[in-house]
Amino acid sequence: MNYWPVLATLFFQASLLCEAVTSRNSSCKIDRESGTTAICTIAKLQELSTILLNPSDVKSLSIFSSDLETVPDGAFSNFTSLVNLSLPFNNIRVIKGGAFSSLNHLQRLDLSGNQLMEWEGNFTKSLPSLMFLDLAGNSKFLPPTPLLKLRMLKEIKGVTWNEFCGNCSLEKNYTLKEGEFNNNDVNIETSKLQKGDYLVGNMGHCRVNRLQVSQEVVEYAKHGFFPQCLETKACFDTEIRVTPLHRCWDIDNMILRVEFVITPIAMILNLTVIVVTLTTRALRRNVTMFLTSNMALSDFLVSLYTLILVSARLKPYTEFLLIMENLCNALGFMWLSSVIVSIKTSILLTIERYLVIVYCMQPSIRITRKKALILVLLTWCLGVSIAVLPLVNISVYDGNTFCIPIRPIKDIPHSYELSIGLSLWGIVLYFTTIPFYIRVFKTVKKTGKKAGIKRDGTLARRIGALVLSNMIFFLVPIVIAFLWLTTNIQEVMSPQSREILTGVLPTVLFSFNSLINPLLYAFRTEKFRKAVKIKVDYICLRKGRSSSLTSSLSGKLRGPTVSSNNGDCSPDSRHLRSELSLAKI
């Protein structure tokens, strides 16, 4: 087979598409079909005029792998129609001022892969139409300010000013994607960056972020360029310093100083109730006091939560946030589980008093000690189960500076649903106690002449005051949240007032409730007060007073007793025997 005709045909077709022009070690390939594209390898730029006969017709010129080092003045002065110029990987170090003069139509300039260190000239005059510039690989060169001022320039690729912001693209009129760096807390739009130091966030709230931007980024932003590498965390962290600010921090902490008085007293009172009740046999076997000590435990934990929180808030806000990174979940867990237990214990105390008074003649219908223990354990299991929810992403504990997951807002997953659910659950349980107390007081009024019923009625009133206190201090924050959701109250209040109303006030109310709870029942109970006196006497080694109290109680027991036909409903003699047992402890 004769291959020569085939080879001749291929050569002829290739010659129609391009023309290779050579001169010594230099050569150019020209697209003959359009006559406007040239790809060259040359030793010196001056050789272009001898290789390309009609340079004014060339619109796209590429020069590869030539050791040029310097682009002299007027190097492309004859290429008046040039639109695209590519000079990659030519070891270019210096570009003279008039190198690109007369290139009024040049739109794309590729200088990638060089070692550019100096670029002189009047950019506005020589490159008025430049739109895209590629500087990738020129790690020691930064675009000069006059270059950034080019009106038509839209994008500069490959800019590097540090190791974390390498090969960065500067784009004019860039629109940030929705995500980590385009939200209310971190806004790095170009219009913001050019300020250099600014606040972002909801200006109607106390908590905002302060952003301080590096000088390089500010300079680019002032000319409308956004460094796209800022959307990477490494570059963002080196170029933009984000400092959380709390504009209500000082005034909040000033009010919360009252907690340094309330919480220690509340902790001492509740701890006294717990220790005295559990170490005194007569009180420990009393179902009402046992349940009261359980409420005291929840109140003690609420007070402890508050004391730790306000102590941490003595630090500057930024240091407080660092502390709360590891502590907030624990504090929030403690608070939520304790509040749940407090609500359930209020219900148990109500039911216990209801059964004792309404079913006085039926001793079998009671909450026994064993049942009370089981109910208390179930109450804590329920509290812990609910407190775990924010740890598995059903709401969060660190959504505010108080580590409380109950926030009726929809910007945190499931926070709104959890807040509404727990609030309604608490409201229903507390209002359920009202019919019980109505029935109790009717029974007491009807059988008021019976000593046992009268005494139990007094206890019921004290328990009722305890439950009512818990109800009020629980409902006040809920009412505030309801008004917050259904009215425009948040729009007419200052950020400081809103923070006090929704954060500081509920915290103070819950701790104050923990303070008065032991005073409403336990410390008003005679047996408990006597047990406290005996414990104090024992600790202080005042045996004489303890002995005299024992003798006094023994004498009282030997004195006349009040008999009753109702057995359990009038247990005066048994009451005195229990007092004697207190004295023996």
Side-chain angles (χ1 to χ4, degrees):
M1 180 177 180
N2 190 356
Y3 293 99
W4 289 108
V6 176
L7 293 175
T9 302
L10 292 175
F11 179 78
F12 177 74
Q13 291 177 347
S15 65
L16 292 177
L17 293 175
C18 67
E19 173 186 3
V21 182
T22 62
S23 175
R24 297 180 184 178
N25 296 326
S26 302
S27 64
C28 287
K29 292 183 179 180
I30 304 173
D31 183 354
R32 291 191 60 186
E33 189 172 293
S34 62
T36 60
T37 301
I39 302 175
C40 303
T41 301
I42 57 176
K44 295 182 179 180
L45 288 173
Q46 290 83 347
E47 296 178 357
L48 285 175
S49 59
T50 61
I51 298 175
L52 299 175
L53 300 179
N54 297 307
S56 60
D57 294 335
V58 178
K59 293 185 177 181
S60 180
L61 174 62
S62 299
I63 301 176
F64 291 99
S65 302
S66 298
D67 192 11
L68 301 179
E69 290 195 7
T70 301
V71 181
D73 292 333
F76 303 98
S77 58
N78 296 326
F79 293 82
T80 54
S81 299
L82 203 59
V83 176
N84 300 317
L85 176 59
S86 296
L87 302 172
F89 303 101
N90 289 295
N91 296 321
I92 297 174
R93 295 176 180 271
V94 178
I95 299 177
K96 294 297 183 178
F100 301 123
S101 60
S102 303
L103 300 183
N104 295 331
H105 302 288
L106 187 66
Q107 296 180 4
R108 292 179 177 271
L109 177 59
D110 184 356
L111 296 172
S112 61
N114 292 291
Q115 301 177 29
L116 190 60
M117 300 182 69
E118 183 181 349
W119 188 354
E120 305 170 350
N122 187 333
F123 298 97
T124 305
K125 183 177 180 180
S126 59
L127 298 170
S129 302
L130 186 64
M131 299 175 66
F132 301 97
L133 174 63
D134 192 345
L135 295 173
N138 297 277
S139 59
K140 297 182 180 180
F141 179 78
L142 294 177
T145 300
L147 179 64
L148 298 174
K149 292 181 179 180
L150 290 177
R151 186 173 58 87
M152 299 296 292
L153 189 58
K154 295 181 178 179
E155 184 178 2
I156 305 176
K157 291 184 177 181
V159 180
T160 299
W161 64 91
N162 62 45
E163 60 178 316
F164 300 102
C165 303
N167 199 30
C168 189
S169 293
L170 309 180
E171 186 170 339
K172 190 175 288 186
N173 301 323
Y174 179 73
T175 302
L176 275 170
K177 300 175 183 178
E178 292 290 338
E180 182 179 1
F181 302 110
N182 184 21
N183 54 60
N184 290 331
D185 296 326
V186 180
N187 185 339
I188 53 173
E189 295 286 353
T190 307
S191 58
K192 295 287 188 180
L193 292 176
Q194 61 185 244
K195 297 178 181 179
D197 191 336
Y198 59 97
L199 299 179
V200 296
N202 190 331
M203 294 300 112
H205 293 171
C206 290
R207 301 171 69 185
V208 295
N209 285 329
R210 179 187 181 187
L211 270 62
Q212 295 169 285
V213 188
S214 69
Q215 189 58 42
E216 291 83 0
V217 174
V218 171
E219 186 66 23
Y220 297 141
K222 283 182 178 179
H223 296 91
F225 289 96
F226 176 82
Q228 293 186 30
C229 51
L230 286 179
E231 293 186 289
T232 63
K233 190 176 187 305
C235 182
F236 179 91
D237 290 342
T238 58
E239 299 303 302
I240 298 179
R241 180 182 178 184
V242 180
T243 305
L245 295 180
H246 198 303
R247 296 181 292 171
C248 312
W249 191 248
D250 293 335
I251 189 172
D252 287 355
N253 290 341
M254 186 180 300
I255 299 173
L256 287 172
R257 287 178 185 174
V258 69
E259 295 290 3
F260 289 108
V261 176
I262 295 176
T263 53
I265 298 175
M267 291 174 66
I268 293 172
L269 292 177
N270 285 291
L271 188 61
T272 301
V273 173
I274 297 169
V275 173
V276 171
T277 300
L278 297 183
T279 58
T280 303
R281 186 171 182 270
L283 297 179
R284 186 172 62 246
R285 293 169 63 86
N286 183 292
V287 174
T288 304
M289 283 305 303
F290 178 71
L291 293 176
T292 302
S293 67
N294 186 55
M295 179 172 287
L297 176 58
S298 66
D299 287 336
F300 175 82
L301 292 177
V302 169
S303 301
L304 179 61
Y305 148 83
T306 307
L307 183 60
I308 295 174
L309 179 71
V310 296
S311 298
R313 289 177 69 99
L314 293 176
K315 298 286 186 179
Y317 180 58
T318 52
E319 294 183 28
F320 170 82
L321 292 179
L322 294 176
I323 295 173
M324 286 296 112
E325 281 184 3
N326 299 318
L327 190 59
C328 203
N329 284 341
L331 287 180
F333 185 91
M334 182 191 304
W335 180 87
L336 184 56
S337 58
S338 300
V339 170
I340 298 299
V341 169
S342 180
I343 295 173
K344 290 293 293 181
T345 305
S346 297
I347 305 304
L348 293 178
L349 281 168
T350 300
I351 295 174
E352 192 273 337
R353 284 294 90 192
Y354 175 82
L355 295 178
V356 168
I357 295 174
V358 176
Y359 296 96
C360 175
M361 301 301 295
Q362 298 175 263
S364 60
I365 306 178
R366 295 285 190 276
I367 296 179
T368 62
R369 292 191 297 272
K370 183 177 180 180
K371 290 179 181 178
L373 178 60
I374 294 173
L375 290 172
V376 166
L377 293 176
L378 291 176
T379 297
W380 279 103
C381 288
L382 176 64
V384 169
S385 299
I386 295 177
V388 167
L389 295 180
L391 300 179
V392 293
N393 298 324
I394 299 178
S395 189
V396 293
Y397 282 120
D398 57 0
N400 53 65
T401 57
F402 296 92
C403 303
I404 294 178
I406 300 180
R407 296 182 68 202
I409 55 177
K410 297 183 179 180
D411 58 345
I412 299 176
H414 309 295
S415 176
Y416 182 84
E417 293 81 0
L418 180 65
S419 302
I420 298 299
L422 289 179
S423 299
L424 291 177
W425 175 77
I427 291 172
V428 170
L429 287 182
Y430 274 126
F431 276 95
T432 301
T433 63
I434 295 177
F436 284 95
Y437 282 107
I438 292 175
R439 178 70 184 278
V440 165
F441 294 136
K442 283 184 177 180
T443 302
V444 172
K445 185 177 180 180
K446 184 177 180 181
T447 58
K449 294 181 180 181
K450 298 179 181 179
I453 291 290
K454 186 175 182 179
R455 185 171 61 83
D456 287 334
T458 301
L459 295 178
R461 282 193 293 272
R462 294 173 183 172
I463 294 294
L466 179 68
V467 174
L468 180 62
S469 167
N470 288 346
M471 181 189 300
I472 291 174
F473 289 111
F474 177 80
L475 290 179
V476 168
I478 293 178
V479 171
I480 293 173
F482 177 77
L483 294 176
W484 194 267
L485 292 174
T486 58
T487 67
N488 63 343
I489 185 174
Q490 54 182 315
E491 298 177 3
V492 299
M493 298 180 67
S494 66
Q496 291 79 7
S497 299
R498 288 199 297 268
E499 184 74 9
I500 293 172
L501 186 64
T502 60
V504 176
L505 181 60
T507 302
V508 174
L509 290 179
F510 275 110
S511 60
F512 184 72
N513 184 42
S514 299
L515 170 66
I516 65 174
N517 274 347
L519 300 176
L520 289 175
Y521 181 75
F523 281 89
R524 295 175 66 190
T525 304
E526 185 178 1
K527 286 196 293 185
F528 178 80
R529 292 200 304 270
K530 289 181 179 180
V532 172
K533 290 179 182 178
I534 293 171
K535 295 294 182 184
V536 172
D537 285 342
Y538 180 79
I539 293 173
C540 297
L541 299 178
R542 289 185 290 178
K543 300 292 186 179
R545 182 177 177 184
S546 180
S547 300
S548 63
L549 180 60
T550 303
S551 301
S552 173
L553 289 174
S554 299
K556 186 176 181 180
L557 181 61
R558 288 192 295 269
T561 60
V562 179
S563 61
S564 174
N565 296 327
N566 294 331
D568 288 338
C569 296
S570 182
D572 289 309
S573 60
R574 187 166 57 191
H575 174 55
L576 292 176
R577 284 195 296 271
S578 66
E579 290 180 336
L580 181 60
S581 67
L582 286 174
K584 292 179 180 178
I585 296 173

